[in-house]
Amino acid sequence: MHIGQFQLANRLIAAPMAGVSDSPFRTLCHDMGAGMTVSEMLSYNPEVWRSDKLRLRMVHSDEPGIRAVQIAGSDPDEMAAAARINTDFGAQIIDINMGCPAKKVNRKMAGSALSQYPDLVKQILSAVVKAVDVPVTLKIRTG
């Protein structure tokens, strides 16, 4: 399976899970044979990027395997900025979260709430793809 220029070793992808998919977990999944791992969802909000905890979660350059980072939000310009910042920190693939059903995410019109607004999704995708030179994927859910 290919994502852009990246060849995955197999189709096993460790999905992003809030509070679980930290760097040690992703490294363990990679070592156990995952074809790709994805970081836990990172907010598009630049105010939270200033915390030491989040800055550490955003450093991806020393991780093994393909470094995919998931971002979440609803503002096209802020999502583009989040994509740029994460690629600056070593992300090789940007994944847009359009599947999280959590109420706190949906209240901000992010995650699965975006499925109600196809025009906004188009704007977000266009802004993010234009902002970075890495592959951009989109996580969705059905049901």
Side-chain angles (χ1 to χ4, degrees):
M1 182 169 148
H2 283 88
I3 298 178
Q5 70 270 29
F6 299 102
Q7 170 69 49
L8 277 65
N10 54 54
R11 293 176 182 242
L12 295 172
I13 298 174
M17 297 173 279
V20 175
S21 301
D22 59 9
S23 182
F25 179 79
R26 293 190 306 273
T27 299
L28 178 63
C29 290
H30 176 268
D31 292 349
M32 298 299 291
M36 186 173 82
T37 63
V38 183
S39 76
E40 56 190 309
M41 177 178 63
L42 296 172
S43 169
Y44 69 92
N45 182 352
E47 293 301 314
V48 301
W49 299 339
R50 293 188 180 106
S51 76
D52 289 338
K53 180 180 177 183
L54 188 60
R55 272 198 308 274
L56 286 173
R57 285 182 18 203
M58 290 174 65
V59 175
H60 312 289
S61 57
D62 60 347
E63 292 185 20
I66 301 166
R67 297 180 303 271
V69 175
Q70 186 178 86
I71 58 175
S74 59
D75 181 276
D77 294 332
E78 290 177 348
M79 291 286 281
R84 277 191 299 275
I85 287 170
N86 278 284
T87 57
D88 289 346
F89 278 97
Q92 296 171 309
I93 295 173
I94 296 295
D95 181 62
I96 297 171
N97 181 317
M98 203 177 103
C100 181
K103 289 180 184 178
K104 71 178 187 176
V105 174
N106 280 262
R107 277 194 298 263
K108 296 178 182 177
M109 206 170 63
S112 61
L114 285 174
S115 63
Q116 301 172 70
Y117 306 97
D119 291 336
L120 179 57
V121 172
K122 181 179 177 181
Q123 292 171 26
I124 291 169
L125 282 170
S126 294
V128 171
V129 168
K130 287 177 188 172
V132 296
D133 292 327
V134 301
V136 176
T137 60
L138 178 73
K139 175 190 159 194
I140 60 170
R141 284 179 203 241
T142 59

